[in-house]
Amino acid sequence: MSDQQIAPVPAFEPPYYAVVFTSTRTEDQNGYGETAERMEELVKDVPGYLGMDHAQTPGGLSITVGYFRDADALERWRSDAEHRSAQKRGRAEWYQSYSLHVAKVERSHGFVKEKE
């Protein structure tokens, strides 16, 4: 088990972009884990990438929200060749369905309870 503390991506000074990727997957997940790990490594190198939150329901609905400083950062990630290749494989093999929503964040705040 990881020693990494689980916490949401912190609030940033707006404006910035949120990309919401919601999916259900097929039964065949051969190679998915390795590719997902690679994409998480790769996106961190995109200038303007701010972070990512991920959650999955027991029923199999998966939601990933990526945060980007500006439209240029988002476009760099969207057009990355290795990312495009993973998207193509995802549609062919791993995803039963998905939706993608891109939103400009105009308001953002956060809360962290202080340790007692």
Side-chain angles (χ1 to χ4, degrees), residues 5 32 38 46 52 64 66-67 81 83 92 98 108 115:
Q5 184 178 4
Y32 178 85
R38 173 65 183 145
V46 173
M52 178 188 324
T64 300
Y67 303 95
H83 181 216
Y98 70 80
S108 182
K115 295 181 180 181

Side-chain angles (χ1 to χ4, degrees), residues 111-116:
F111 169 81
V112 176
K113 185 177 284 239
E114 293 187 32
K115 295 181 180 181
E116 296 177 7

Side-chain angles (χ1 to χ4, degrees), residues 9-12 14 16 105 107-111:
V9 171
F12 293 96
Y16 58 95
V105 177
R107 184 171 160 246
S108 182
H109 70 275
F111 169 81

Side-chain angles (χ1 to χ4, degrees), residues 71-90:
D72 289 340
L74 185 55
E75 178 58 26
R76 279 191 292 276
W77 177 236
R78 189 186 76 77
S79 63
D80 180 270
E82 197 172 341
H83 181 216
R84 300 291 287 182
S85 178
Q87 289 174 325
K88 185 175 181 180
R89 187 172 178 196

Side-chain angles (χ1 to χ4, degrees), residues 10-19 48-50 66-74 102-109:
F12 293 96
E13 183 65 33
Y16 58 95
Y17 287 85
V19 178
Y49 169 74
L50 300 173
Y67 303 95
F68 296 85
R69 173 50 53 205
D70 52 38
D72 289 340
L74 185 55
V102 178
K104 188 172 186 178
V105 177
E106 297 180 1
R107 184 171 160 246
S108 182
H109 70 275

Side-chain angles (χ1 to χ4, degrees), residues 55-70:
Q56 188 165 352
T57 68
L61 182 69
S62 178
I63 301 172
T64 300
V65 183
Y67 303 95
F68 296 85
R69 173 50 53 205
D70 52 38

